[in-house]
PDB file of all heavy atoms in Angstrom:
ATOM      1  N   SER T 228      13.920  -7.780   8.687  1.00 97.00           N
ATOM      2  CA  SER T 228      12.542  -7.700   8.215  1.00 97.00           C
ATOM      3  C   SER T 228      12.406  -6.598   7.186  1.00 97.00           C
ATOM      4  O   SER T 228      13.107  -5.577   7.244  1.00 97.00           O
ATOM      5  CB  SER T 228      11.598  -7.432   9.396  1.00 97.00           C
ATOM      6  OG  SER T 228      10.269  -7.259   8.943  1.00 97.00           O
ATOM      7  N   ASN T 229      11.497  -6.803   6.243  1.00 96.00           N
ATOM      8  CA  ASN T 229      11.112  -5.784   5.269  1.00 96.00           C
ATOM      9  C   ASN T 229       9.648  -5.416   5.478  1.00 96.00           C
ATOM     10  O   ASN T 229       8.817  -6.285   5.754  1.00 96.00           O
ATOM     11  CB  ASN T 229      11.300  -6.283   3.840  1.00 96.00           C
ATOM     12  CG  ASN T 229      12.753  -6.471   3.471  1.00 96.00           C
ATOM     13  OD1 ASN T 229      13.613  -5.727   3.923  1.00 96.00           O
ATOM     14  ND2 ASN T 229      13.039  -7.479   2.665  1.00 96.00           N
ATOM     15  N   ASN T 230       9.345  -4.116   5.362  1.00 94.00           N
ATOM     16  CA  ASN T 230       7.963  -3.624   5.514  1.00 94.00           C
ATOM     17  C   ASN T 230       7.355  -4.068   6.838  1.00 94.00           C
ATOM     18  O   ASN T 230       6.235  -4.571   6.901  1.00 94.00           O
ATOM     19  CB  ASN T 230       7.086  -4.104   4.351  1.00 94.00           C
ATOM     20  CG  ASN T 230       7.535  -3.552   3.021  1.00 94.00           C
ATOM     21  OD1 ASN T 230       7.781  -2.352   2.891  1.00 94.00           O
ATOM     22  ND2 ASN T 230       7.686  -4.418   2.029  1.00 94.00           N
ATOM     23  N   LEU T 231       8.111  -3.862   7.903  1.00 94.00           N
ATOM     24  CA  LEU T 231       7.667  -4.337   9.208  1.00 94.00           C
ATOM     25  C   LEU T 231       6.514  -3.513   9.767  1.00 94.00           C
ATOM     26  O   LEU T 231       5.545  -4.063  10.290  1.00 94.00           O
ATOM     27  CB  LEU T 231       8.840  -4.320  10.193  1.00 94.00           C
ATOM     28  CG  LEU T 231       8.561  -4.866  11.585  1.00 94.00           C
ATOM     29  CD1 LEU T 231       8.154  -6.329  11.524  1.00 94.00           C
ATOM     30  CD2 LEU T 231       9.792  -4.685  12.488  1.00 94.00           C
ATOM     31  N   LEU T 232       6.594  -2.181   9.658  1.00 95.00           N
ATOM     32  CA  LEU T 232       5.580  -1.315  10.243  1.00 95.00           C
ATOM     33  C   LEU T 232       5.176  -0.231   9.252  1.00 95.00           C
ATOM     34  O   LEU T 232       6.005   0.268   8.487  1.00 95.00           O
ATOM     35  CB  LEU T 232       6.101  -0.651  11.520  1.00 95.00           C
ATOM     36  CG  LEU T 232       6.446  -1.568  12.701  1.00 95.00           C
ATOM     37  CD1 LEU T 232       7.111  -0.755  13.800  1.00 95.00           C
ATOM     38  CD2 LEU T 232       5.192  -2.258  13.226  1.00 95.00           C
ATOM     39  N   THR T 233       3.899   0.135   9.283  1.00 95.00           N
ATOM     40  CA  THR T 233       3.388   1.243   8.474  1.00 95.00           C
ATOM     41  C   THR T 233       2.557   2.146   9.367  1.00 95.00           C
ATOM     42  O   THR T 233       1.618   1.689  10.027  1.00 95.00           O
ATOM     43  CB  THR T 233       2.522   0.748   7.307  1.00 95.00           C
ATOM     44  OG1 THR T 233       3.299  -0.087   6.449  1.00 95.00           O
ATOM     45  CG2 THR T 233       1.973   1.926   6.503  1.00 95.00           C
ATOM     46  N   PHE T 234       2.889   3.430   9.390  1.00 95.00           N
ATOM     47  CA  PHE T 234       2.139   4.420  10.160  1.00 95.00           C
ATOM     48  C   PHE T 234       1.383   5.301   9.165  1.00 95.00           C
ATOM     49  O   PHE T 234       1.989   6.028   8.379  1.00 95.00           O
ATOM     50  CB  PHE T 234       3.083   5.256  11.019  1.00 95.00           C
ATOM     51  CG  PHE T 234       3.938   4.447  11.956  1.00 95.00           C
ATOM     52  CD1 PHE T 234       5.208   4.048  11.579  1.00 95.00           C
ATOM     53  CD2 PHE T 234       3.460   4.070  13.201  1.00 95.00           C
ATOM     54  CE1 PHE T 234       6.001   3.298  12.433  1.00 95.00           C
ATOM     55  CE2 PHE T 234       4.243   3.322  14.070  1.00 95.00           C
ATOM     56  CZ  PHE T 234       5.508   2.929  13.686  1.00 95.00           C
ATOM     57  N   SER T 235       0.059   5.211   9.192  1.00 94.00           N
ATOM     58  CA  SER T 235      -0.755   5.938   8.213  1.00 94.00           C
ATOM     59  C   SER T 235      -2.205   5.980   8.692  1.00 94.00           C
ATOM     60  O   SER T 235      -2.652   5.089   9.422  1.00 94.00           O
ATOM     61  CB  SER T 235      -0.683   5.252   6.840  1.00 94.00           C
ATOM     62  OG  SER T 235      -1.557   5.856   5.918  1.00 94.00           O
ATOM     63  N   LYS T 236      -2.939   6.997   8.269  1.00 91.00           N
ATOM     64  CA  LYS T 236      -4.373   7.096   8.546  1.00 91.00           C
ATOM     65  C   LYS T 236      -5.214   6.507   7.423  1.00 91.00           C
ATOM     66  O   LYS T 236      -6.441   6.539   7.484  1.00 91.00           O
ATOM     67  CB  LYS T 236      -4.757   8.564   8.769  1.00 91.00           C
ATOM     68  CG  LYS T 236      -4.135   9.182  10.009  1.00 91.00           C
ATOM     69  CD  LYS T 236      -4.599  10.617  10.200  1.00 91.00           C
ATOM     70  CE  LYS T 236      -3.981  11.222  11.465  1.00 91.00           C
ATOM     71  NZ  LYS T 236      -4.421  12.634  11.651  1.00 91.00           N
ATOM     72  N   PHE T 237      -4.548   5.969   6.408  1.00 89.00           N
ATOM     73  CA  PHE T 237      -5.251   5.383   5.272  1.00 89.00           C
ATOM     74  C   PHE T 237      -6.069   4.179   5.721  1.00 89.00           C
ATOM     75  O   PHE T 237      -5.598   3.339   6.489  1.00 89.00           O
ATOM     76  CB  PHE T 237      -4.234   4.972   4.212  1.00 89.00           C
ATOM     77  CG  PHE T 237      -4.833   4.354   2.984  1.00 89.00           C
ATOM     78  CD1 PHE T 237      -5.760   5.045   2.220  1.00 89.00           C
ATOM     79  CD2 PHE T 237      -4.474   3.073   2.589  1.00 89.00           C
ATOM     80  CE1 PHE T 237      -6.309   4.488   1.087  1.00 89.00           C
ATOM     81  CE2 PHE T 237      -5.017   2.500   1.459  1.00 89.00           C
ATOM     82  CZ  PHE T 237      -5.942   3.208   0.708  1.00 89.00           C
ATOM     83  N   LYS T 238      -7.330   4.066   5.225  1.00 83.00           N
ATOM     84  CA  LYS T 238      -8.241   3.018   5.672  1.00 83.00           C
ATOM     85  C   LYS T 238      -8.055   1.696   4.929  1.00 83.00           C
ATOM     86  O   LYS T 238      -8.547   0.666   5.378  1.00 83.00           O
ATOM     87  CB  LYS T 238      -9.692   3.478   5.516  1.00 83.00           C
ATOM     88  CG  LYS T 238     -10.048   4.747   6.267  1.00 83.00           C
ATOM     89  CD  LYS T 238     -11.527   5.054   6.095  1.00 83.00           C
ATOM     90  CE  LYS T 238     -11.891   6.386   6.714  1.00 83.00           C
ATOM     91  NZ  LYS T 238     -11.363   7.520   5.941  1.00 83.00           N
ATOM     92  N   GLY T 239      -7.383   1.728   3.783  1.00 83.00           N
ATOM     93  CA  GLY T 239      -7.230   0.514   2.989  1.00 83.00           C
ATOM     94  C   GLY T 239      -6.072  -0.345   3.460  1.00 83.00           C
ATOM     95  O   GLY T 239      -5.548  -0.186   4.569  1.00 83.00           O
ATOM     96  N   PHE T 240      -5.664  -1.279   2.602  1.00 85.00           N
ATOM     97  CA  PHE T 240      -4.600  -2.205   2.952  1.00 85.00           C
ATOM     98  C   PHE T 240      -3.236  -1.533   3.022  1.00 85.00           C
ATOM     99  O   PHE T 240      -2.453  -1.775   3.928  1.00 85.00           O
ATOM    100  CB  PHE T 240      -4.539  -3.350   1.934  1.00 85.00           C
ATOM    101  CG  PHE T 240      -5.687  -4.313   2.029  1.00 85.00           C
ATOM    102  CD1 PHE T 240      -6.076  -5.052   0.916  1.00 85.00           C
ATOM    103  CD2 PHE T 240      -6.374  -4.476   3.206  1.00 85.00           C
ATOM    104  CE1 PHE T 240      -7.131  -5.948   0.996  1.00 85.00           C
ATOM    105  CE2 PHE T 240      -7.427  -5.366   3.308  1.00 85.00           C
ATOM    106  CZ  PHE T 240      -7.803  -6.098   2.192  1.00 85.00           C
ATOM    107  N   ASP T 241      -2.936  -0.700   2.029  1.00 89.00           N
ATOM    108  CA  ASP T 241      -1.584  -0.160   1.914  1.00 89.00           C
ATOM    109  C   ASP T 241      -1.653   1.200   1.229  1.00 89.00           C
ATOM    110  O   ASP T 241      -2.232   1.315   0.138  1.00 89.00           O
ATOM    111  CB  ASP T 241      -0.715  -1.119   1.096  1.00 89.00           C
ATOM    112  CG  ASP T 241       0.770  -0.814   1.190  1.00 89.00           C
ATOM    113  OD1 ASP T 241       1.118   0.366   1.391  1.00 89.00           O
ATOM    114  OD2 ASP T 241       1.584  -1.739   1.062  1.00 89.00           O
ATOM    115  N   PRO T 242      -1.095   2.260   1.842  1.00 91.00           N
ATOM    116  CA  PRO T 242      -1.133   3.581   1.211  1.00 91.00           C
ATOM    117  C   PRO T 242      -0.287   3.681  -0.050  1.00 91.00           C
ATOM    118  O   PRO T 242      -0.426   4.647  -0.807  1.00 91.00           O
ATOM    119  CB  PRO T 242      -0.604   4.514   2.308  1.00 91.00           C
ATOM    120  CG  PRO T 242       0.232   3.636   3.182  1.00 91.00           C
ATOM    121  CD  PRO T 242      -0.440   2.295   3.158  1.00 91.00           C
ATOM    122  N   GLU T 243       0.570   2.703  -0.302  1.00 89.00           N
ATOM    123  CA  GLU T 243       1.355   2.701  -1.536  1.00 89.00           C
ATOM    124  C   GLU T 243       0.555   2.031  -2.636  1.00 89.00           C
ATOM    125  O   GLU T 243       0.827   0.891  -3.025  1.00 89.00           O
ATOM    126  CB  GLU T 243       2.679   1.979  -1.322  1.00 89.00           C
ATOM    127  CG  GLU T 243       3.695   2.793  -0.572  1.00 89.00           C
ATOM    128  CD  GLU T 243       5.063   2.163  -0.615  1.00 89.00           C
ATOM    129  OE1 GLU T 243       5.259   1.136   0.054  1.00 89.00           O
ATOM    130  OE2 GLU T 243       5.935   2.700  -1.320  1.00 89.00           O
ATOM    131  N   VAL T 244      -0.443   2.721  -3.130  1.00 83.00           N
ATOM    132  CA  VAL T 244      -1.283   2.168  -4.180  1.00 83.00           C
ATOM    133  C   VAL T 244      -0.579   2.315  -5.517  1.00 83.00           C
ATOM    134  O   VAL T 244       0.220   3.230  -5.725  1.00 83.00           O
ATOM    135  CB  VAL T 244      -2.661   2.860  -4.215  1.00 83.00           C
ATOM    136  CG1 VAL T 244      -3.413   2.589  -2.933  1.00 83.00           C
ATOM    137  CG2 VAL T 244      -2.514   4.365  -4.419  1.00 83.00           C
ATOM    138  N   GLY T 245      -0.882   1.408  -6.432  1.00 70.00           N
ATOM    139  CA  GLY T 245      -0.249   1.425  -7.735  1.00 70.00           C
ATOM    140  C   GLY T 245      -0.943   2.367  -8.690  1.00 70.00           C
ATOM    141  O   GLY T 245      -1.694   3.263  -8.309  1.00 70.00           O
ATOM    142  N   GLY T 246      -0.711   2.136  -9.993  1.00 68.00           N
ATOM    143  CA  GLY T 246      -1.344   2.956 -11.004  1.00 68.00           C
ATOM    144  C   GLY T 246      -0.348   3.659 -11.892  1.00 68.00           C
ATOM    145  O   GLY T 246       0.778   3.943 -11.482  1.00 68.00           O
ATOM    146  N   ASP T 247      -0.773   3.937 -13.129  1.00 70.00           N
ATOM    147  CA  ASP T 247       0.080   4.675 -14.050  1.00 70.00           C
ATOM    148  C   ASP T 247      -0.208   6.165 -13.915  1.00 70.00           C
ATOM    149  O   ASP T 247      -0.918   6.605 -13.011  1.00 70.00           O
ATOM    150  CB  ASP T 247      -0.138   4.179 -15.480  1.00 70.00           C
ATOM    151  CG  ASP T 247      -1.604   4.212 -15.878  1.00 70.00           C
ATOM    152  OD1 ASP T 247      -2.341   5.104 -15.391  1.00 70.00           O
ATOM    153  OD2 ASP T 247      -2.033   3.347 -16.668  1.00 70.00           O
ATOM    154  N   ASN T 248       0.309   6.962 -14.839  1.00 73.00           N
ATOM    155  CA  ASN T 248       0.141   8.410 -14.730  1.00 73.00           C
ATOM    156  C   ASN T 248      -1.301   8.864 -14.851  1.00 73.00           C
ATOM    157  O   ASN T 248      -1.658   9.950 -14.407  1.00 73.00           O
ATOM    158  CB  ASN T 248       0.990   9.111 -15.795  1.00 73.00           C
ATOM    159  CG  ASN T 248       2.466   9.075 -15.465  1.00 73.00           C
ATOM    160  OD1 ASN T 248       2.834   8.966 -14.308  1.00 73.00           O
ATOM    161  ND2 ASN T 248       3.309   9.140 -16.482  1.00 73.00           N
ATOM    162  N   LEU T 249      -2.162   8.043 -15.476  1.00 75.00           N
ATOM    163  CA  LEU T 249      -3.567   8.408 -15.608  1.00 75.00           C
ATOM    164  C   LEU T 249      -4.408   7.863 -14.463  1.00 75.00           C
ATOM    165  O   LEU T 249      -5.571   8.229 -14.330  1.00 75.00           O
ATOM    166  CB  LEU T 249      -4.118   7.889 -16.943  1.00 75.00           C
ATOM    167  CG  LEU T 249      -3.490   8.483 -18.203  1.00 75.00           C
ATOM    168  CD1 LEU T 249      -4.113   7.862 -19.448  1.00 75.00           C
ATOM    169  CD2 LEU T 249      -3.671   9.997 -18.236  1.00 75.00           C
ATOM    170  N   ASN T 250      -3.832   6.986 -13.662  1.00 78.00           N
ATOM    171  CA  ASN T 250      -4.569   6.397 -12.544  1.00 78.00           C
ATOM    172  C   ASN T 250      -3.776   6.485 -11.245  1.00 78.00           C
ATOM    173  O   ASN T 250      -3.949   5.669 -10.351  1.00 78.00           O
ATOM    174  CB  ASN T 250      -4.884   4.923 -12.842  1.00 78.00           C
ATOM    175  CG  ASN T 250      -5.835   4.762 -14.009  1.00 78.00           C
ATOM    176  OD1 ASN T 250      -7.040   4.962 -13.880  1.00 78.00           O
ATOM    177  ND2 ASN T 250      -5.291   4.406 -15.164  1.00 78.00           N
ATOM    178  N   ARG T 251      -2.945   7.473 -11.144  1.00 84.00           N
ATOM    179  CA  ARG T 251      -2.102   7.616  -9.958  1.00 84.00           C
ATOM    180  C   ARG T 251      -2.954   7.944  -8.731  1.00 84.00           C
ATOM    181  O   ARG T 251      -3.873   8.752  -8.783  1.00 84.00           O
ATOM    182  CB  ARG T 251      -1.085   8.729 -10.192  1.00 84.00           C
ATOM    183  CG  ARG T 251      -0.045   8.869  -9.080  1.00 84.00           C
ATOM    184  CD  ARG T 251       0.819  10.100  -9.321  1.00 84.00           C
ATOM    185  NE  ARG T 251       1.519  10.011 -10.593  1.00 84.00           N
ATOM    186  CZ  ARG T 251       2.706   9.440 -10.745  1.00 84.00           C
ATOM    187  NH1 ARG T 251       3.309   8.894  -9.705  1.00 84.00           N
ATOM    188  NH2 ARG T 251       3.284   9.408 -11.920  1.00 84.00           N
ATOM    189  N   GLY T 252      -2.638   7.311  -7.613  1.00 88.00           N
ATOM    190  CA  GLY T 252      -3.322   7.630  -6.365  1.00 88.00           C
ATOM    191  C   GLY T 252      -4.713   7.044  -6.242  1.00 88.00           C
ATOM    192  O   GLY T 252      -5.500   7.521  -5.423  1.00 88.00           O
ATOM    193  N   ILE T 253      -5.031   6.030  -7.028  1.00 89.00           N
ATOM    194  CA  ILE T 253      -6.354   5.390  -6.948  1.00 89.00           C
ATOM    195  C   ILE T 253      -6.192   4.014  -6.318  1.00 89.00           C
ATOM    196  O   ILE T 253      -5.409   3.189  -6.780  1.00 89.00           O
ATOM    197  CB  ILE T 253      -6.995   5.262  -8.337  1.00 89.00           C
ATOM    198  CG1 ILE T 253      -7.224   6.642  -8.947  1.00 89.00           C
ATOM    199  CG2 ILE T 253      -8.322   4.511  -8.242  1.00 89.00           C
ATOM    200  CD1 ILE T 253      -7.802   6.609 -10.342  1.00 89.00           C
ATOM    201  N   ASP T 254      -6.927   3.781  -5.242  1.00 89.00           N
ATOM    202  CA  ASP T 254      -6.863   2.497  -4.554  1.00 89.00           C
ATOM    203  C   ASP T 254      -7.914   1.560  -5.128  1.00 89.00           C
ATOM    204  O   ASP T 254      -9.110   1.748  -4.916  1.00 89.00           O
ATOM    205  CB  ASP T 254      -7.104   2.687  -3.052  1.00 89.00           C
ATOM    206  CG  ASP T 254      -7.150   1.360  -2.316  1.00 89.00           C
ATOM    207  OD1 ASP T 254      -6.439   0.427  -2.744  1.00 89.00           O
ATOM    208  OD2 ASP T 254      -7.890   1.259  -1.319  1.00 89.00           O
ATOM    209  N   ASN T 255      -7.470   0.550  -5.849  1.00 85.00           N
ATOM    210  CA  ASN T 255      -8.374  -0.474  -6.365  1.00 85.00           C
ATOM    211  C   ASN T 255      -8.253  -1.768  -5.565  1.00 85.00           C
ATOM    212  O   ASN T 255      -8.522  -2.852  -6.060  1.00 85.00           O
ATOM    213  CB  ASN T 255      -8.084  -0.734  -7.842  1.00 85.00           C
ATOM    214  CG  ASN T 255      -8.548   0.417  -8.719  1.00 85.00           C
ATOM    215  OD1 ASN T 255      -9.641   0.936  -8.547  1.00 85.00           O
ATOM    216  ND2 ASN T 255      -7.697   0.851  -9.644  1.00 85.00           N
ATOM    217  N   LEU T 256      -7.832  -1.624  -4.290  1.00 75.00           N
ATOM    218  CA  LEU T 256      -7.711  -2.741  -3.357  1.00 75.00           C
ATOM    219  C   LEU T 256      -6.731  -3.783  -3.875  1.00 75.00           C
ATOM    220  O   LEU T 256      -7.001  -4.975  -3.872  1.00 75.00           O
ATOM    221  CB  LEU T 256      -9.075  -3.377  -3.076  1.00 75.00           C
ATOM    222  CG  LEU T 256      -9.260  -3.965  -1.682  1.00 75.00           C
ATOM    223  CD1 LEU T 256      -9.175  -2.854  -0.639  1.00 75.00           C
ATOM    224  CD2 LEU T 256     -10.592  -4.678  -1.552  1.00 75.00           C
ATOM    225  N   GLY T 257      -5.580  -3.290  -4.340  1.00 71.00           N
ATOM    226  CA  GLY T 257      -4.541  -4.205  -4.775  1.00 71.00           C
ATOM    227  C   GLY T 257      -3.852  -4.857  -3.591  1.00 71.00           C
ATOM    228  O   GLY T 257      -4.117  -4.543  -2.432  1.00 71.00           O
ATOM    229  N   TYR T 258      -2.947  -5.776  -3.899  1.00 75.00           N
ATOM    230  CA  TYR T 258      -2.250  -6.473  -2.824  1.00 75.00           C
ATOM    231  C   TYR T 258      -1.253  -5.530  -2.150  1.00 75.00           C
ATOM    232  O   TYR T 258      -0.547  -4.783  -2.819  1.00 75.00           O
ATOM    233  CB  TYR T 258      -1.512  -7.690  -3.379  1.00 75.00           C
ATOM    234  CG  TYR T 258      -2.428  -8.780  -3.860  1.00 75.00           C
ATOM    235  CD1 TYR T 258      -2.649  -8.984  -5.221  1.00 75.00           C
ATOM    236  CD2 TYR T 258      -3.092  -9.595  -2.956  1.00 75.00           C
ATOM    237  CE1 TYR T 258      -3.503  -9.979  -5.676  1.00 75.00           C
ATOM    238  CE2 TYR T 258      -3.947 -10.597  -3.393  1.00 75.00           C
ATOM    239  CZ  TYR T 258      -4.141 -10.783  -4.756  1.00 75.00           C
ATOM    240  OH  TYR T 258      -4.995 -11.766  -5.188  1.00 75.00           O
ATOM    241  N   PRO T 259      -1.178  -5.554  -0.820  1.00 80.00           N
ATOM    242  CA  PRO T 259      -0.190  -4.722  -0.128  1.00 80.00           C
ATOM    243  C   PRO T 259       1.211  -5.287  -0.296  1.00 80.00           C
ATOM    244  O   PRO T 259       1.384  -6.461  -0.645  1.00 80.00           O
ATOM    245  CB  PRO T 259      -0.650  -4.797   1.334  1.00 80.00           C
ATOM    246  CG  PRO T 259      -1.337  -6.124   1.445  1.00 80.00           C
ATOM    247  CD  PRO T 259      -2.017  -6.335   0.109  1.00 80.00           C
ATOM    248  N   ASN T 260       2.198  -4.444  -0.057  1.00 85.00           N
ATOM    249  CA  ASN T 260       3.575  -4.923  -0.083  1.00 85.00           C
ATOM    250  C   ASN T 260       3.761  -5.976   1.005  1.00 85.00           C
ATOM    251  O   ASN T 260       3.338  -5.775   2.151  1.00 85.00           O
ATOM    252  CB  ASN T 260       4.552  -3.766   0.152  1.00 85.00           C
ATOM    253  CG  ASN T 260       4.618  -2.824  -1.028  1.00 85.00           C
ATOM    254  OD1 ASN T 260       4.643  -3.252  -2.170  1.00 85.00           O
ATOM    255  ND2 ASN T 260       4.631  -1.527  -0.761  1.00 85.00           N
ATOM    256  N   PRO T 261       4.383  -7.106   0.685  1.00 90.00           N
ATOM    257  CA  PRO T 261       4.503  -8.185   1.670  1.00 90.00           C
ATOM    258  C   PRO T 261       5.465  -7.835   2.804  1.00 90.00           C
ATOM    259  O   PRO T 261       6.436  -7.106   2.611  1.00 90.00           O
ATOM    260  CB  PRO T 261       5.033  -9.360   0.847  1.00 90.00           C
ATOM    261  CG  PRO T 261       5.776  -8.719  -0.283  1.00 90.00           C
ATOM    262  CD  PRO T 261       5.008  -7.469  -0.596  1.00 90.00           C
ATOM    263  N   ARG T 262       5.171  -8.365   3.967  1.00 93.00           N
ATOM    264  CA  ARG T 262       6.067  -8.236   5.119  1.00 93.00           C
ATOM    265  C   ARG T 262       6.861  -9.527   5.239  1.00 93.00           C
ATOM    266  O   ARG T 262       6.290 -10.618   5.216  1.00 93.00           O
ATOM    267  CB  ARG T 262       5.269  -8.001   6.388  1.00 93.00           C
ATOM    268  CG  ARG T 262       6.112  -7.945   7.666  1.00 93.00           C
ATOM    269  CD  ARG T 262       5.224  -7.833   8.882  1.00 93.00           C
ATOM    270  NE  ARG T 262       4.428  -6.612   8.820  1.00 93.00           N
ATOM    271  CZ  ARG T 262       3.285  -6.446   9.503  1.00 93.00           C
ATOM    272  NH1 ARG T 262       2.802  -7.422  10.240  1.00 93.00           N
ATOM    273  NH2 ARG T 262       2.626  -5.301   9.412  1.00 93.00           N
ATOM    274  N   THR T 263       8.169  -9.414   5.336  1.00 95.00           N
ATOM    275  CA  THR T 263       9.015 -10.597   5.449  1.00 95.00           C
ATOM    276  C   THR T 263       9.868 -10.500   6.710  1.00 95.00           C
ATOM    277  O   THR T 263      10.315  -9.409   7.093  1.00 95.00           O
ATOM    278  CB  THR T 263       9.943 -10.760   4.232  1.00 95.00           C
ATOM    279  OG1 THR T 263      10.792  -9.612   4.134  1.00 95.00           O
ATOM    280  CG2 THR T 263       9.128 -10.893   2.952  1.00 95.00           C
ATOM    281  N   ILE T 264      10.078 -11.634   7.362  1.00 96.00           N
ATOM    282  CA  ILE T 264      10.955 -11.730   8.527  1.00 96.00           C
ATOM    283  C   ILE T 264      11.903 -12.903   8.289  1.00 96.00           C
ATOM    284  O   ILE T 264      11.454 -14.015   8.006  1.00 96.00           O
ATOM    285  CB  ILE T 264      10.164 -11.929   9.827  1.00 96.00           C
ATOM    286  CG1 ILE T 264       9.221 -10.740  10.060  1.00 96.00           C
ATOM    287  CG2 ILE T 264      11.111 -12.094  11.015  1.00 96.00           C
ATOM    288  CD1 ILE T 264       8.355 -10.875  11.293  1.00 96.00           C
TER     289      ILE T 264
END
């Protein structure tokens, strides 16, 4: 499996939010990393 478990206090879908250097760390409710089994 890939991305089976995530431990975080983040309220959104995925704490690994995207963005470039000017928008780093901004959650725009993008798609989370998929979980595969």
Side-chain angles (χ1 to χ4, degrees):
S228 176
N229 292 326
N230 296 312
L231 183 61
L232 296 173
T233 299
F234 303 94
S235 174
K236 294 182 179 179
F237 180 58
K238 302 183 186 72
F240 289 154
D241 193 331
E243 283 191 288
V244 296
D247 53 32
N248 286 335
L249 296 179
N250 294 283
R251 186 187 300 272
I253 298 178
D254 176 32
N255 288 316
L256 212 64
Y258 292 104
N260 289 318
R262 176 185 299 158
T263 60
I264 299 178

